[in-house]
Amino acid sequence: MENPAKVFYSSPIGLIEVSGTNNSISSLFFAEDAKSDKINSNDYLDECLKQLDEYFNGKRKIFELNLAPEGTEFQKKVWNAILNVSYGTTKSYLEISKSVGDVSAVRAIANAHGQNKISIIIPCHRVIGSNGNLTGYAGGLWRKKWLLEHEQKYSDFEKQLALPL
């Protein structure tokens, strides 16, 4: 087994703890502080931090990282569906349940969504209620709102650049 590593990233919306190995990311979540006796990095986590920088600067829309989330097969199926929600857009829990092939599984989808340990990269902030309202986010609804507005801002900017003069 590879040596696990952990680093911290100071984002515009708070401190982020990233954990992984030499070739994958296993968790990314908001942390209260960077106090840990096991902080160490590797080239792969450094690449993740670089991609986070690009994301927060509006230059990256898709993360290109190997992910190793721990969960059940159903949870992984839900997280894969969430990975397909495009930058700057949202989908409802119902839409996610349809994409995994079970419209009656909305509550199970919401539960799996809440177990996502790789925030931002598996963009659970892009999943909203069927009524369009923001719903639970482990990092807090204010962060979810910020992330959606951030992505919308850079999506709109690209659309403006594509308009003919």
Side-chain angles (χ1 to χ4, degrees), residues 77-78 81-82 94-103:
K77 189 175 181 180
V78 171
I82 293 169
L94 180 59
E95 289 171 307
I96 298 293
S97 68
K98 288 177 184 175
S99 73
V100 298
D102 190 352
V103 294

Side-chain angles (χ1 to χ4, degrees), residues 6-88:
K6 179 192 315 185
V7 293
F8 290 88
Y9 175 79
S10 183
S11 81
I13 53 175
L15 191 64
I16 295 174
E17 180 180 313
V18 183
S19 298
T21 65
N22 292 329
N23 63 12
S24 66
I25 304 301
S26 56
S27 70
L28 185 152
F29 58 90
F30 294 98
E32 293 302 315
D33 58 50
K35 293 180 183 171
S36 176
D37 58 350
K38 296 183 180 182
I39 298 174
N40 58 337
S41 191
N42 61 40
D43 290 343
Y44 206 78
L45 291 187
D46 291 344
E47 175 61 24
C48 180
L49 298 183
K50 176 181 166 256
Q51 291 189 29
L52 283 169
D53 255 347
E54 294 167 351
Y55 171 83
F56 281 109
N57 287 311
K59 296 176 182 172
R60 176 168 294 276
K61 312 294 185 265
I62 298 171
F63 289 92
E64 297 170 350
L65 298 163
N66 295 324
L67 305 179
E70 292 184 19
T72 67
E73 288 307 310
F74 178 76
Q75 288 171 329
K76 290 176 183 179
K77 189 175 181 180
V78 171
W79 299 331
N80 280 327
I82 293 169
L83 279 167
N84 290 320
V85 181
S86 299
Y87 182 95

